[in-house]
Amino acid sequence: MEIVLPIKKQKPDTSSPENLVIFSKPKVGKTTLFADLPDCLILDLESGSKYVEALKIGASNVDEIKAIGKAIKDAGYPYKYVAVDTITALEEICIPFAEELYSQSPMGKNWFSEGKQKYGSILNMPNGAGYPWLREAFSTIIAYIKKWAPRVILAGHVKDVLLEKNGAEFTSMDLDLTGKLKRIIMQHSDAIGYLYRKGDTNILSFKTKDDVSCGARPIHLKNKEFEISKINGDGSVTVDWSQIFID
């Protein structure tokens, strides 16, 4: 392969995030947002889209996720967006897959005949020995899902983390994933937004603060927040993605 070195600055390949993470407290309205995004398939892992009209499909295990991926491939990848609702649930779904991967390794060949009876779950193995297998399982499925569409949105729940700064303790809102899984997701995301409700309006914030872990690489999102939806007087919801996906 011939290497051609750039001699001048190149324009960005895209302006909108290809890998977007949105996390919030439960029942704030993430699923409603995804339902209103054109050409967005919701991969519903928590049965949270029951009352929403949307492009949606449910899954409860890794085999079902793989089958959905095959169907999407066979259909010629018809979606522009895929929203995983939620990655908090996906982590739980990936535990049996992690055990399967571990059982295929030399050290785990006796997992299903001996180890599972002893520990119950791979996550109960001594010294955290099972967590690398969960990370591998989770990363494998996320990478698989990201092939389904040009842009992927990962929805997650909030967890409160106790932090200390200048001798004072305070609570920070963070993405609810185990240990290094959170870092993996954040490192491979173009933007991480915190969704919260203010009156009848939902705000999607990319502002980096001590009490909220979020941020963005795209210039139009960096350190900003947007009114993304509003509940109308008749109970309907108006959603505006145009400030997030601008191309």
Side-chain angles (χ1 to χ4, degrees):
M1 181 181 71
E2 182 182 357
I3 302 297
V4 179
L5 297 176
I7 58 175
K8 60 180 181 180
K9 291 184 179 180
Q10 300 177 4
K11 294 182 178 180
D13 295 328
T14 183
S15 298
S16 300
E18 295 179 355
N19 298 289
L20 172 62
V21 174
I22 296 176
F23 68 107
S24 74
K25 295 179 180 179
K27 306 296 188 294
V28 170
K30 295 187 295 294
T31 306
T32 300
L33 296 183
F34 305 146
D36 203 71
L37 182 60
D39 299 319
C40 178
L41 175 69
I42 300 174
L43 178 61
D44 186 355
L45 304 180
E46 293 189 337
S47 300
S49 63
K50 286 182 179 179
Y51 305 102
V52 177
E53 182 178 351
L55 295 171
K56 57 186 178 179
I57 190 166
S60 59
N61 56 59
V62 166
D63 287 340
E64 290 178 357
I65 292 173
K66 289 180 178 179
I68 291 168
K70 183 180 183 304
I72 290 173
K73 179 181 178 181
D74 292 345
Y77 299 102
Y79 305 107
K80 186 175 181 180
Y81 307 89
V82 169
V84 180
D85 193 7
T86 65
I87 52 174
T88 307
L90 182 61
E91 179 180 348
E92 291 294 323
I93 287 175
C94 282
I95 293 174
F97 184 38
E99 294 180 339
E100 179 184 336
L101 294 177
Y102 178 60
S103 72
Q104 295 169 2
S105 71
M107 67 185 73
K109 61 182 180 181
N110 297 322
W111 170 253
F112 288 111
S113 61
E114 299 176 8
K116 190 164 181 65
Q117 287 79 359
K118 183 177 181 180
Y119 298 112
S121 167
I122 194 171
L123 302 186
N124 295 331
M125 291 174 61
N127 304 315
Y131 283 91
W133 295 98
L134 176 59
R135 291 195 293 272
E136 180 176 345
F138 186 87
S139 298
T140 298
I141 296 304
I142 286 291
Y144 179 65
I145 292 172
K146 285 184 176 181
K147 296 178 181 178
W148 296 2
R151 291 170 177 162
V152 173
I153 306 169
L154 305 178
H157 293 314
V158 160
K159 69 176 177 181
D160 292 332
V161 180
L162 188 63
L163 300 176
E164 181 178 332
K165 183 176 181 180
N166 299 327
E169 291 185 342
F170 67 97
T171 300
S172 173
M173 289 177 287
D174 209 345
L175 184 62
D176 188 9
L177 284 176
T178 301
K180 294 181 181 179
L181 280 182
K182 182 189 70 176
R183 289 205 297 273
I184 291 171
I185 287 297
M186 290 187 166
Q187 286 171 358
H188 292 88
S189 298
D190 303 315
I192 303 162
Y194 175 62
L195 182 70
Y196 67 95
R197 183 166 293 167
K198 186 176 181 181
D200 292 333
T201 303
N202 273 354
I203 309 295
L204 184 57
S205 176
F206 299 95
K207 289 186 175 181
T208 302
K209 302 177 182 178
D210 285 341
D211 61 340
V212 183
S213 299
C214 55
R217 293 191 183 104
I219 298 298
H220 71 287
L221 302 179
K222 188 174 294 186
N223 208 32
K224 296 179 182 177
E225 58 183 26
F226 306 88
E227 294 185 1
I228 194 167
S229 67
K230 183 176 180 61
I231 302 174
N232 302 313
D234 60 359
S236 63
V237 179
T238 301
V239 180
D240 180 13
W241 283 98
S242 64
Q243 299 178 91
I244 311 301
F245 296 109
I246 61 175
D247 57 2

